[in-house]
Amino acid sequence: MDQSGRPPFRADHVGSLLRPPPLRQAFRDHHAGKIDDAHFADIQDQCIRDVVRLQEEAGLEVVTDGEFRRGSYWGRFVERLQGFAIKDAAFNFRDDRGDEVAFTAPYATHRLKRTQPLALDEFSFLRSATDAMPKITIPAPSTMHFYRCNDFADRTVYPDIGAFFADLSEIYRAEVAGLVEAGCRYIQFDEVAVALLCDPTIRQKVEAVGQKPDEFVDLYIEDINDIVAGAPKDVVFGVHMCRGNFKGHYLAAGGYESVAERFFSETRVNHFLLEYDTARAGDFAPLRFVKGKGVVLGLISTKVAALESLDELRRRVDEAARYIDVDRLAIGPQCGFASTVAGNPLTEADERAKLSLMVDAARAIWKGVK
C-alpha cells in the first residue's frame, strides 16, 4: 500500500455494511438463547463471505467484514473487555425533522483488562476470505470516554482521567500489536468524539460540567499517537471522523475548523476519512491544515438512498483541491452503512450502487493517476 502521505486507495469505504436479514435474525436468536455460539459464528462466516464478494464485485481493492460480528461499531470491544458496563449516553441522535433517539455508552465500573483479543478473529477470517486488502476498524479510545460527557467511570476505580487512559492505551497497544503480528497492515480508528467537539452546542455542554473541550482534543490526539507509536512502518493507520450515524440520525453539526489545525497536523496517522456529505460538516477550508497526509472525502451519503451524480462528486473534489493537492485525495462515504445491526434506511441494492459509484468516481476523477 502507498504510505506517501496520501490514502492507500482512491476508493475506500468506512467499514460497516448492512446486515442481511438472516444475520439480523441470528443476532436476535443468539441473544434469546435459541442458537449457540457455534451456530451463530457459522451464520456470520457465510454472511461475511457474501459481503466480501459484494465489495469485490463493486471493484473495491480494500474490503472489510462489514463489522458483521459486532452488534455496534464499539459494542463488541466493550463486551470483550473486563471492567465496562453500559449506561445511557449524555447525547441524543437527531434528524433533520427534529426527532431524537437516545443511545448508550461505555462506563468503567472496574479496572479495565484485556483478557482476550478484541478484533483478531475478525481479521483472521477476513484475510482468509479475500485476495483484496483486508481493513480492520477499531473504535477510537475516545469512544470509551466521551459519550457520557466525562462521567466515564466509577471514580473510586479511576479517580482521574490519566489513570483511565493509561489502562486504555495499554489495551489498545496490545490489540494493535496482535493484529500486526497476525499480518494486518491497514487499521482504521473510528473517531467520533473529536468531530462532535466541532459542534458549539456540544462544546458548551462539556464546559457546563467543568471540562475544557480543547483539552479533550489534545488528550485524544496524544492517545492515538501513543497507540500507533510502536507499529512497524509498513502498517497504515487511518482515522475516520464523523458526527454520528444511527438509523440515518446524527449527533452533531459543525465544520472542522475549531479542531483542524491541531488534529490534522498532530495526529500521527497516514490519512483521514472525513464526513463531507452535508452542510453539517462545513466547507473544505480546514483541509489546508492537512500536511503530508491524505484525505478520503466522505462525499457519498450512507444515510439516504438517493444516488449522488458523478458530476457533483467531481465538482466537490475540485472544490476540496483548492486546499489540498488532488493527488492526496480519495473518495468514499461519510460513514458506514450500519453502525449497528439495525443499519441505515437503505436496501442492499442501494448499498451496492453506492459502493460501485465510489469506484466509478475514483476511476473517473483520478484517471491515469495511480
Side-chain angles (χ1 to χ4, degrees), residues 262-283:
R262 278 170 302 146
F263 196 79
F264 293 156
S265 63
E266 296 176 16
T267 308
R268 300 190 193 111
V269 295
N270 180 73
H271 61 283
F272 303 98
L273 302 94
L274 302 180
E275 174 184 350
Y276 264 120
D277 64 323
T278 70
R280 284 192 300 274
D283 62 23

Side-chain angles (χ1 to χ4, degrees), residues 281-299:
D283 62 23
F284 294 117
L287 299 183
R288 70 191 185 278
F289 294 114
V290 182
K291 307 295 185 183
K293 298 166 187 166
V295 171
V296 179
L297 297 171
L299 303 176

